[in-house]
Amino acid sequence: MDSIRVKGGNELNGRIPISGAKNAALPLMIASLLTDDTLTLENVPDLADVQQLIRILGNHGVDHSVNGRREKQQEGYSRTINFSARHIVDTTAPYELVSKMRASFWVIGPLLARMGEAKVSLPGGCAIGTRPVDLLLEVLQSLGTEIDIEGGYAIARAKNKRLVGNRHRFGKVTVGGTHVGLMAASLAKGETVLENAAREPEIVNLAECLNAMGAKITGAGTSTITIEGVDSLSGARHRVIPDRIETGTYAMAVAMTGGDVVLEGGRIDLLQRAIDILTETGAEISQQDDGIRVKRNGNGVRAIDVTTEPFPGFPTDLQAQFMGLMTMASGQSRITETIFENRFMHVQELARLGAHISLSGQTAIVDGVSRLKGAPVMATDLRASVSLVIAGLAAEGETTVSRIYHLDRGFERLEDKLSNCGAVVERLSG
Ligand code: UD1
C-alpha cells in the first residue's frame, strides 16, 4: 500500500493549478444517463473516484472517450471526456460497484427518470457516520416512485413508467438528495418544486448543465428550486467548476507553512465563509485574474472558532484541514461538526504529531502548540488524510502518511502540486 513521506519545515511558494471539482464532476457524469446523446464534460479531474464512476456508468451502457490533450497549463491536469448513454443496457447498479463509492447511488435518479425503473445497491462508502439514503428515496417517492428494499438493494419503479412532478420539502439539507431530485424531476411530467434544497456551487453547476441539455430549472443556488419537466434531454458541452475543497485545502496549507502561493483558477466566491475565517486567522487572501493569492508572513496563526454548515457556511470537507491549522494557533479554538456525526477520526492522528485536542460531543477543543513534530500516521478518510499531509508540511522532521488510497480518490497529483512549491513530499510504493 502506498504512503506519502513529507519532510516538514519548508514554506510554500509558487503556483498550484486547481483541478476540476470532484463533487461537481461526479453528478455531471451521472447526468449523462439522462440522454441518448453525447454529454461532453470539460475539466474532469483525473481521480480514482472518477475512474470508479466510469466503470459504474459503463455497466449501465455509458461509453466514454477522453480527449487527448491534457489542459495542463490552465487548470490542474483535468481532461475533457465525452459520455454517451445511447442505450441503457442495465438498470441495476450492483453492490460490488456501489459499495466503493457512495455517490454512485445517485444513478437511481436518472435511471428512474429515463427508464422508469432502477435497482441500486444501498451504498457503503466513507466511514464518516451512518450516511443513510432515506432523504434520496423520499424525494423519489414524492415524484411517484414505489420503492422496496430487498437483499440490500433499493428497487424503484415509477408508477406508469414515468415520474410525475410534485412539491417536495427535504427534511434536512442534502447535497446528494438535491442532485437526485434535480435529475429525476428534469424528465418528470409536470412541475416539481424542491424546498430546503442544498445551495452548494456543485448544485448550480449540475443545474446549468441540465439546462444546457434542455431542462427547465430555475432557482438553483437558492433553497427553492423549480423544475418544469421535459419529455427528453439532448447532449451538451459543459465545464466542471474548480474544486473549492482543493482550493481551501491548499490555502490552509500556505496558512500553516507560511509563504506566497497563487491557486490558479481558484474562486473566492465558491468558498466565501472559509476564506473569511482563514483571513481572520492571519492569512492574506486576494482574488486575482488568474486565481486566488494566499500569503502568510511570519506572524502567528490566530485561533478562531468554526462550526461546519451547509453552503454558504464553512464546509465539513475543510474541517479536518482547518483543525490541522488550529493545532498550531496561539490559543484555543473550538471546532464543531454539525453535518456528519463521526468526522473526527483525524484527531488521534493529529495528536501523534503533538497536537493538543480534546473532544466534547460534536466539538473538538484545540489548544495550539508552538510546533508539531513529524511521526508515522494513518489516513482514515479522504479529507482527514490531506489534513495529515499538510500538518506534516508544517511539522518539524519527517511524517509518513499511510493508507493514502483515500487521497487518490479526491486530490489530483497532490505530491507534484506541493513539490512544485518547494515542499519535500514523495510517494513510497509498497
Ligand atoms: C456531499 C459531498 C461530501 C460532503 C457532503 C456535505 C459529494 C460526492 N459528496 O455528500 O463531500 O461532505 O455533501 O457537504 O458531493 N443524510 C441523511 N439521509 C440521506 C442523505 C443524507 O440523513 O438520505 C444526512 C447525512 O448523513 C449528513 C447530511 O444529511 O448528515 C448531509 O449529507 P449530504 O449533503 O447528503 O452529503 P452527500 O451528498 O452524501
Side-chain angles (χ1 to χ4, degrees):
M1 225 180 285
D2 287 4
S3 54
I4 280 187
R5 184 162 64 197
V6 179
K7 285 208 179 90
N10 287 7
E11 282 192 347
L12 293 172
N13 285 293
R15 304 177 73 80
I16 297 182
I18 297 303
S19 298
K22 169 180 88 76
N23 285 357
L26 299 180
L28 289 167
M29 289 165 64
I30 290 173
S32 70
L33 287 166
L34 287 165
T35 174
D36 59 9
D37 220 337
T38 300
L39 177 63
T40 300
L41 297 177
E42 300 172 357
N43 202 28
V44 179
D46 190 6
L47 297 169
D49 271 10
V50 166
Q51 293 307 326
Q52 177 66 13
L53 185 56
I54 285 177
R55 277 191 284 279
I56 290 165
L57 294 175
N59 178 61
H60 297 300
V62 181
D63 292 327
H64 77 284
S65 61
V66 179
N67 284 13
R69 197 174 57 84
R70 284 178 185 272
E71 300 167 28
K72 190 164 178 172
Q73 299 308 318
Q74 286 304 313
E75 291 180 56
Y77 302 83
S78 303
R79 307 162 298 169
T80 296
I81 309 186
N82 305 309
F83 295 92
S84 173
R86 190 151 301 283
H87 303 289
I88 303 286
V89 297
D90 195 340
T91 54
T92 299
Y95 177 68
E96 309 81 77
L97 294 176
V98 179
S99 59
K100 297 210 174 93
M101 187 184 32
R102 204 187 130 75
S104 53
F105 187 80
W106 302 348
V107 298
I108 195 169
L111 286 176
L112 254 177
R114 181 160 159 201
M115 307 299 289
E117 59 172 43
K119 179 177 171 188
V120 182
S121 169
L122 298 169
C126 248
I128 52 171
T130 47
R131 303 187 86 177
V133 290
D134 53 325
L135 301 170
L136 282 65
L137 298 181
E138 277 168 28
V139 64
L140 295 173
Q141 281 166 327
S142 288
L143 299 178
T145 306
E146 285 167 350
I147 295 172
D148 292 312
I149 305 291
E150 262 178 52
Y153 282 78
I155 300 170
R157 285 184 204 88
K159 292 173 201 154
N160 303 321
K161 283 275 178 195
R162 180 149 186 213
L163 298 173
V164 181
N166 200 354
R167 181 170 282 269
H168 178 81
R169 185 175 179 82
F170 289 104
K172 183 175 182 183
V173 176
T174 160
V175 173
T178 307
H179 282 315
V180 165
L182 272 179
M183 289 191 272
S186 290
L187 285 181
K189 189 172 162 47
E191 185 183 90
T192 297
V193 179
L194 300 177
E195 294 173 344
N196 199 26
R199 292 181 282 166
E200 268 67 3
E202 292 76 18
I203 302 285
V204 178
N205 205 212
L206 174 66
E208 284 173 350
C209 177
L210 293 171
N211 281 343
M213 293 164 73
K216 295 188 176 150
I217 301 171
T218 52
T222 74
S223 45
T224 304
I225 306 180
T226 304
I227 305 122
E228 185 61 50
V230 295
D231 290 339
S232 66
L233 293 170
S234 60
R237 189 177 183 93
H238 186 73
R239 191 163 182 83
V240 177
I241 51 171
D243 196 314
R244 63 196 169 98
I245 303 304
E246 188 194 28
T247 308
T249 299
Y250 289 127
M252 288 186 198
V254 179
M256 283 184 87
T257 60
D260 186 349
V261 171
V262 174
L263 304 172
E264 289 173 20
R267 280 170 42 189
I268 284 186
D269 61 307
L270 300 182
L271 72 180
Q272 191 62 57
R273 180 80 189 122
I275 295 292
D276 291 346
I277 297 262
L278 263 182
T279 307
E280 286 177 47
T281 69
E284 286 174 52
I285 302 181
S286 55
Q287 182 77 58
Q288 301 188 158
D289 287 347
D290 55 349
I292 299 178
R293 181 168 181 189
V294 186
K295 282 198 287 183
R296 193 172 70 79
N297 55 25
N299 299 336
V301 177
R302 263 194 300 278
I304 305 289
D305 294 344
V306 153
T307 299
T308 62
E309 286 169 338
F311 192 84
F314 189 94
T316 175
D317 286 350
L318 285 175
Q319 181 255 105
Q321 299 88 314
F322 187 74
M323 193 179 299
L325 174 61
M326 287 300 98
T327 62
M328 40 180 292
S330 39
Q332 187 179 78
S333 83
R334 299 170 67 85
I335 300 178
T336 304
E337 173 59 55
T338 69
I339 309 290
F340 294 111
E341 74 264 29
N342 186 22
R343 209 174 198 183
F344 280 142
M345 285 171 302
H346 42 286
V347 165
Q348 40 191 351
E349 301 300 314
L350 287 170
R352 291 176 54 78
L353 301 177
H356 287 181
I357 307 169
S358 59
L359 288 178
S360 166
Q362 288 296 93
T363 299
I365 300 149
V366 188
D367 286 297
V369 294
S370 55
R371 71 172 48 93
L372 297 175
K373 292 200 177 126
V377 289
M378 198 182 282
T380 49
D381 71 53
L382 169 56
R383 311 303 179 185
S385 32
V386 81
S387 80
L388 299 172
V389 174
I390 64 173
L393 294 177
E396 202 171 71
E398 194 172 286
T399 296
T400 311
V401 185
S402 56
R403 294 207 183 164
I404 50 146
Y405 55 84
H406 291 290
L407 272 180
D408 296 330
R409 289 187 41 220
F411 287 87
E412 197 176 32
R413 291 163 204 269
L414 176 94
E415 312 93 277
D416 289 357
K417 291 186 184 187
L418 287 172
S419 349
N420 288 344
C421 289
V424 183
V425 185
E426 63 178 330
R427 183 177 289 247
L428 310 171
S429 5

